[in-house]
Amino acid sequence: MAYPKTNKIDIADTYFGNTINDPYRWLEDDRSAETKAWVEAENKVTQNYLNRIPFRPAIKSRLETLWNYEKYTAPFKEGDYTYFYKNDGLQNQYVLYRQKDKTKPEVFLDPNTFSKDATTSLAGIEFTKDGSMAAYQISEGGSDWRKVIILNTNDHSIIGDTLIDVKFSGLAWKGNEGFYYSSYDKPKEGSQLSGLTQFHKLYFHSTGSSQKEDRLIFGGEQTPRRYIGAGLTEDERFLVITAAESTTGNELYFQDLSKPGSPIINVVNNFNGDHSIIDNQGSKLYIFTNLNAPNYKVVTVDASNPAPENWKDLIPETDNVLSISTAGGKIFANYLKDATSLVMQYDMDGNLERTVTLPGVGSASGFYAKKSEKELYYTFTSYIYPPTIFKYIIANGQSVEYKKSGVKFDPSNFISKQVFYTSKDGTKIPMIITHKKGIELNGKNPTLLYGYGGFSVSLTPAFSTSNIILLEQGGIYAVPNLRGGGEYGEKWHLAGTKMNKQNVFDDFIAAAEYLISNKYTSKDFLAVSGGSNGGLLVGAVMSQRPELFKVALPAVGVLDMLRYNKFTAGAGWAYDYGTAEDSKEMFEYLLKYSPYHALKPGVSYPATLITTADHDDRVVPAHSFKFAARLQEYHKGESPALIRIETNAGHGAGKPTAKIIEEQADKWAFMLYNMGLTFKL
């Protein structure tokens, strides 16, 4: 491969007496003409390579056919209307519809009209309790920075100003007076896309007023916090505030809005656990927490004396990790049992009423509705069960199929089974393996091993239209539940953080070795894939065990572990990663596995297609740029080391359907081509 020449500039940092060279740092400047020229040159090389793959157009065509069916989300009620999202098939963005009683649904918001290229997306909407107004967020080019527009829902007229510079925020209405939202001061220096965001602030915006008149409610100089969230209890009596320094652990506050001038009360004054107020009955608060309960529980306490020592268990901790929702005056406990859903319905006194009968083993989500509702809607899916929406009658526990997926896929032709394998230190790790029935285990099946392993995120079974491409070719899709995730609670999460992070990589490598030793595949037909923290995972394992994989697909990855905390919200990830400034030991640990630094000259690395986007302000593209430059410099061998840089796109949310299909087609074409395989229709 003839790669573009990437300039090297002498620049270095010193950590605890160690000099670390960083010759590609100039690529961190996403505004420079030099970086722009480099991006264009790299994309040209990548597209020239991809254009040579003879079956790439056929894969794209097949994906378009598979994707072209009506897709719905579960409906929800606001005021006199029922709202739902729908995509006719290949629409770039889902359209928000509404209908009154049994009248014909009407378009309420069509994000496909927000911009000519459909890269401006709807990033959330919240309605007033009476449904007469709505505030919705838009994201331009995939950015985490949002604008907020307020609508009169009756005539679609815009109310007051459009709010700007809103980031990592919900919207919580207080009556029709206005709503609470959170944001940061825009970075004063450097790029708006890569500049460091430090302290969140909670504001109240009064309906019809100017944004500059918004009141600061919490945060700022008095209580500087990196992340601040707000919500109201359904009766709008209590404002609930969570404040955090990182992605794990939060303080908990509330304010009684029924009493004018009431203070903001602190309930939990440390970051040692995660806590939220999920409901109330009068002054009785229902709190979801992992305080002294790594797998979570529900407790109650009176708002007059809310300190943790007064909490009483309502739904105690069990061996399975718990998540919680409320609907129709009931509590729904959604447990993870070996990374699959087990749902139980409780009354508000903590009495178990029933276990919800699910269609099979997989992931059930939803179970939210207002207290007055008699029914709710939930979605069930698995790796071979396309997402299906069910209506659930709360009084008797009956589930009725409401909307079946229209995707052309016959689950009876495929199998998805869970196995447990042993990691390097003897820990048992679950993995779900999915493939066509009757394939021969001869070590020659193209296999995609996908992982994440971080931030307490649980990978539960979910259907993917794109994966049909692999499964139809007799390929295998394998997903292990690595440490660092949340599948077995906070202990499992902590076992993959900071100086335990190598456990995550070891778990992933052991998954690959299991697939090879059991003849599902071999190193010549094995690809690894992951995005964001999963991109770090792929970068780490391909640098540690380059001979184990044929193809590597790191997407929007955190790849420079010494500098990740210098950009956008990166400093908030320190709970999981630690930083190079923490201690000499932490620096040395990060340096050893940091993908950008772990690459070595003269090594034959897997065929690699790095993917990122120029507007990614979550994990800045500089991670991928620098990693690609060094990989191209050091890699020795025939296989390509390419980077695909999407323009006018971000970390992934809101990406138009057309861009998704193009990227997925490129991924599958690159993977099969580098395994010496073809694509058969």
Side-chain angles (χ1 to χ4, degrees):
M1 292 290 299
Y3 302 110
K5 185 176 186 320
T6 306
N7 290 332
K8 296 173 75 172
I9 296 172
D10 285 338
I11 189 165
D13 293 311
T14 302
Y15 299 88
F16 303 98
N18 296 272
T19 300
I20 305 298
N21 294 314
D22 192 5
Y24 298 117
R25 180 157 321 161
W26 61 273
L27 287 167
E28 292 178 2
D29 186 354
D30 53 64
R31 301 166 302 161
S32 76
E34 292 81 4
T35 300
K36 183 180 179 184
W38 182 88
V39 166
E40 290 174 353
E42 289 286 348
N43 269 342
K44 186 177 180 182
V45 169
T46 298
Q47 289 306 317
N48 285 343
Y49 179 88
L50 294 170
N51 286 336
R52 296 205 307 264
I53 301 175
F55 50 81
R56 178 189 180 210
I59 292 179
K60 184 182 176 188
S61 176
R62 178 62 180 147
L63 279 171
E64 287 173 340
T65 300
L66 289 168
W67 230 279
N68 195 9
Y69 65 93
E70 284 188 336
K71 305 168 196 68
Y72 293 83
T73 66
F76 56 97
K77 294 179 181 177
E78 302 291 350
D80 296 330
Y81 289 90
T82 297
Y83 291 81
F84 62 92
Y85 292 90
K86 178 188 170 189
N87 189 308
D88 287 344
L90 294 174
Q91 285 178 291
N92 278 312
Q93 303 288 345
Y94 275 69
V95 178
L96 179 58
Y97 289 81
R98 71 176 181 180
Q99 67 183 125
K100 197 170 186 178
D101 301 322
K102 303 221 171 171
T103 59
K104 185 180 177 185
E106 63 181 19
V107 173
F108 181 70
L109 272 179
D110 184 359
N112 295 292
T113 65
F114 289 177
S115 61
K116 284 184 179 178
D117 61 359
T119 59
T120 298
S121 60
L122 179 61
I125 186 167
E126 292 294 336
F127 293 80
T128 55
K129 195 170 184 179
D130 64 5
S132 66
M133 287 187 286
Y136 67 93
Q137 301 187 53
I138 62 171
S139 166
E140 295 168 312
S143 171
D144 280 336
W145 290 103
R146 311 282 199 241
K147 292 178 179 174
V148 180
I149 299 164
I150 301 107
L151 279 183
N152 179 316
T153 60
N154 294 319
D155 60 11
H156 283 74
S157 60
I158 293 176
I159 300 169
D161 282 355
T162 292
L163 276 60
I164 61 172
D165 298 345
V166 175
K167 188 172 185 178
F168 296 158
S169 178
L171 305 173
W173 282 96
K174 179 189 175 190
N176 291 11
E177 296 173 44
F179 55 84
Y180 297 88
Y181 71 95
S182 308
S183 196
Y184 301 91
D185 295 331
K186 266 284 187 83
K188 291 186 173 61
E189 297 179 12
S191 166
Q192 299 294 326
L193 289 173
S194 61
L196 193 64
T197 46
Q198 280 286 68
F199 300 120
H200 231 184
K201 296 176 182 177
L202 178 66
Y203 294 96
F204 183 77
H205 175 76
S206 295
T207 306
S209 69
S210 167
Q211 186 177 5
K212 63 176 180 280
E213 297 170 25
D214 292 352
R215 287 187 290 123
L216 178 66
I217 303 298
F218 188 90
E221 293 180 8
Q222 301 302 315
T223 44
R225 300 289 184 266
R226 195 172 305 282
Y227 304 112
I228 297 172
L232 268 66
T233 51
E234 191 178 327
D235 62 4
E236 299 192 354
R237 174 173 172 178
F238 293 104
L239 168 67
V240 181
I241 301 171
T242 57
E245 286 295 284
S246 67
T247 50
T248 298
N250 66 273
E251 300 168 320
L252 182 63
Y253 301 81
F254 72 82
Q255 184 179 27
D256 190 342
L257 300 178
S258 69
K259 301 170 184 172
S262 65
I264 293 174
I265 304 295
N266 178 234
V267 182
V268 178
N269 64 0
N270 60 69
F271 306 105
N272 298 335
D274 295 299
H275 327 277
S276 59
I277 296 174
I278 57 166
D279 206 349
N280 71 300
Q281 286 186 331
S283 64
K284 183 180 182 181
L285 304 177
Y286 291 76
I287 298 174
F288 178 57
T289 180
N290 64 355
L291 178 67
N292 301 320
N295 291 345
Y296 291 91
K297 63 182 179 179
V298 177
V299 300
T300 58
V301 72
D302 195 272
S304 62
N305 205 358
E309 55 265 27
N310 299 315
W311 293 0
K312 293 179 181 173
D313 285 6
L314 184 81
I315 301 176
E317 182 190 25
T318 71
D319 290 338
N320 298 319
V321 180
L322 172 65
S323 60
I324 284 292
S325 59
T326 59
K330 307 293 183 182
I331 298 173
F332 288 85
N334 197 333
Y335 291 98
L336 270 187
K337 186 170 176 59
D338 292 330
T340 62
S341 293
L342 170 66
V343 184
M344 296 180 171
Q345 178 179 320
Y346 289 85
D347 67 18
M348 298 306 289
D349 294 321
N351 300 307
L352 176 63
E353 294 186 335
R354 66 179 57 86
T355 297
V356 177
T357 303
L358 298 175
V361 177
S363 306
S365 60
F367 298 98
Y368 291 95
K370 295 179 172 64
K371 283 185 180 177
S372 59
E373 298 297 339
K374 305 287 190 239
E375 59 196 32
L376 59 80
Y377 297 86
Y378 70 88
T379 302
F380 183 83
T381 184
S382 78
Y383 293 118
I384 57 172
Y385 194 109
T388 303
I389 302 168
F390 291 86
K391 179 192 285 187
Y392 177 81
I393 312 303
I394 297 170
N396 62 19
Q398 183 184 6
S399 288
V400 181
E401 192 176 279
Y402 176 77
K403 272 291 192 250
K404 191 173 183 178
S405 172
V407 67
K408 298 292 188 289
F409 178 83
D410 184 357
S412 67
N413 293 329
F414 299 87
I415 187 169
S416 190
K417 68 176 182 179
Q418 187 173 62
V419 301
F420 289 82
Y421 66 90
T422 304
S423 190
K424 184 177 181 180
D425 64 357
T427 302
K428 292 287 185 188
I429 311 292
M431 174 165 59
I432 296 180
I433 303 172
T434 305
H435 56 79
K436 190 184 283 186
K437 288 179 179 175
I439 64 165
E440 189 180 348
L441 298 186
N442 58 5
K444 295 182 179 178
N445 301 301
T447 298
L448 185 70
L449 178 63
Y450 177 84
Y452 188 79
F455 297 95
S456 201
V457 170
S458 299
L459 292 189
T460 61
F463 188 81
S464 163
T465 302
S466 175
N467 285 349
I468 299 174
I469 294 291
L470 177 65
L471 298 177
E472 285 181 337
Q473 301 301 303
I476 293 168
Y477 184 65
V479 183
N481 295 109
L482 313 172
R483 282 175 284 186
E487 291 87 352
Y488 294 103
E490 187 58 10
K491 289 178 182 174
W492 194 253
H493 171 217
L494 292 175
T497 62
K498 292 192 174 79
M499 296 183 78
N500 292 321
K501 188 68 179 173
Q502 184 60 39
N503 286 337
V504 185
F505 313 140
D506 289 343
D507 292 353
F508 204 49
I509 289 166
E513 291 171 335
Y514 175 92
L515 292 167
I516 292 168
S517 64
N518 285 275
K519 304 289 187 188
Y520 285 99
T521 191
S522 63
K523 62 183 181 181
D524 291 328
F525 299 99
L526 178 59
V528 278
S529 172
S532 197
N533 174 74
L536 160 61
L537 171 68
V538 172
V541 299
M542 67 175 276
S543 61
Q544 292 181 14
R545 293 290 302 277
E547 82 293 347
L548 193 58
F549 315 106
K550 188 68 175 178
V551 175
L553 302 165
V556 293
V558 188
L559 299 163
D560 181 347
M561 297 310 296
L562 301 188
R563 288 178 58 78
Y564 77 86
N565 56 318
K566 309 292 184 188
F567 307 103
T568 62
W573 312 334
Y575 186 93
D576 256 52
Y577 297 148
T579 74
E581 294 81 17
D582 287 347
S583 67
K584 186 172 185 288
E585 292 74 21
M586 193 73 250
F587 154 72
E588 290 172 346
Y589 194 89
L590 288 166
L591 178 66
K592 187 175 181 182
Y593 79 75
S594 174
Y596 173 58
H597 301 93
L599 294 171
K600 298 288 185 288
V603 174
S604 179
Y605 289 101
T608 304
L609 180 63
I610 303 159
T611 50
T612 188
D614 64 348
H615 277 61
D616 189 342
D617 49 7
R618 186 85 55 86
V619 180
V620 293
H623 283 279
S624 295
F625 294 174
K626 291 164 64 175
F627 183 72
R630 183 164 276 173
L631 181 63
Q632 290 173 354
E633 178 192 359
Y634 285 172
H635 173 53
K636 176 189 176 186
E638 296 296 314
S639 40
L642 302 174
I643 182 167
R644 183 188 188 281
I645 305 153
E646 190 69 73
T647 54
N648 208 22
H651 198 58
K655 187 180 287 187
T657 298
K659 284 182 182 281
I660 293 171
I661 289 174
E662 286 173 4
E663 184 176 2
Q664 292 300 305
D666 289 351
K667 177 186 80 173
W668 293 124
F670 182 86
M671 172 181 154
L672 293 172
Y673 187 66
N674 278 284
M675 291 175 177
L677 302 172
T678 188
F679 177 75
K680 309 181 200 72
L681 277 172

